[in-house]
Amino acid sequence: MVAQIEAEAKATAAYTDRKTFSAAVMAAIGKVPRHEFVPQSQAPMAYVNAALPIGFRQTISQPYIVALMTDLLDLEKSAVVLEIGTGSGYQTAVLAEIAKQVYSIDIVQELAGEETERLKRLGYKNVVIRSGDGYDGWPEHAPFDGILVTAVTPDVPPALIEQLKVGGRMAIPVGNRILGEDLMVIEKDQAGEIRERLVLPVAFVPFTRAAQTNA
Ligand code: SAH
């Protein structure tokens, strides 16, 4: 799987500006046992570079996308990271290998509960997960060095930009199924100015809002 990600990184370098991902990111990908994060029926596929179903109409992201999004954050070891869309918890674990502290929110209550248990069992002590609508971020733990969103939203939630540290970076899929979706990197530079860059076309599950979920 690591070799497949490296090949895809090279093939997409014209879009991403990154021919390779950092040693820390690739080491984390090599270390996190992805088969622990997929349903048993999908276990034979766990180390294929593909997205897989995890129940609740959600998916575990493609490993190349997990590696790319993590790499785009340029995290230091001291980083505090917010993830919106815990899902299987796989991306959460990859972040936890690299950063000092990871906070993750999923709107599906069952997923947030299951992942807390699983990550605890796998020995991750620097992860806190809660269920809720990630649109408002997690102000109590802000600001964040990195924010990673794993569900596609028509526009960037303003609270997430607010909760980004100066010098911090966010990776977020933006768009919709009809007009297309793009992975975007948003950076808050030292002057507090926001810079945005489209990275490449992607396909993510939709970012849902609390009101819709409860309907
Ligand atoms: N990184 C995950 C991807 C999961 S799919 C993985 O690799 O497993 C995206 C997740 O985003 C789903 O679990 C979905 O429940 C969650 N999600 C969608 N809208 C959300 C919202 N408003 N707030 C928090 N989580 C949300």
Side-chain angles (χ1 to χ4, degrees):
M1 188 172 88
V2 166
Q4 286 174 357
I5 293 173
E6 282 168 351
E8 194 161 349
K10 224 181 250 175
T12 51
Y15 285 104
T16 63
D17 256 1
R18 298 183 177 210
K19 252 191 248 150
T20 57
F21 302 147
S22 79
V25 168
M26 293 316 291
I29 295 281
K31 193 162 165 211
V32 177
R34 192 167 184 257
H35 66 273
E36 296 274 5
F37 295 86
V38 301
Q40 215 156 24
S41 59
Q42 301 289 336
M45 295 284 285
Y47 295 96
V48 174
N49 183 24
L52 299 169
I54 56 168
F56 306 101
R57 286 185 296 152
Q58 304 302 342
T59 56
I60 177 169
S61 301
Q62 184 196 2
Y64 156 75
I65 289 291
V66 172
L68 171 64
M69 289 179 82
T70 310
D71 198 73
L72 288 169
L73 296 183
D74 286 337
L75 297 173
E76 314 241 341
K77 275 198 183 121
S78 58
V80 178
V81 181
L82 174 67
E83 176 189 38
I84 309 297
T86 319
S88 69
Y90 175 70
Q91 169 79 73
T92 323
V94 170
L95 290 168
E97 290 283 347
I98 296 168
K100 187 174 108 199
Q101 182 69 41
V102 181
Y103 296 97
S104 186
I105 306 176
D106 203 291
I107 201 157
V108 176
Q109 203 168 357
E110 291 87 342
L111 284 174
E114 273 177 28
E115 293 332 314
T116 300
E117 283 311 305
R118 183 176 356 235
L119 290 166
K120 210 184 275 173
R121 175 167 63 74
L122 293 172
Y124 291 99
K125 297 197 171 75
N126 56 341
V127 176
V128 182
I129 301 174
R130 74 164 170 89
S131 64
D133 184 349
Y135 192 83
D136 300 320
W138 200 332
E140 292 82 356
H141 298 296
F144 302 101
D145 299 282
I147 299 180
L148 201 157
V149 182
T150 71
V152 62
T153 147
D155 42 33
V156 181
L160 299 185
I161 294 185
E162 236 162 73
Q163 291 171 27
L164 204 54
K165 212 177 258 183
V166 165
R169 293 162 72 89
M170 165 159 44
I172 179 169
V174 180
N176 61 50
R177 281 283 145 89
I178 295 158
L179 296 175
E181 305 169 9
D182 287 288
L183 179 58
M184 191 180 237
V185 174
I186 297 171
E187 199 177 348
K188 197 180 266 185
D189 73 12
Q190 296 301 331
E193 299 281 323
I194 304 302
R195 294 161 192 268
E196 298 180 348
R197 178 166 78 88
L198 290 180
V199 180
L200 88 169
V202 286
F204 273 84
V205 302
F207 193 102
T208 49
R209 300 303 315 282
Q212 294 168 2
T213 312
N214 295 336

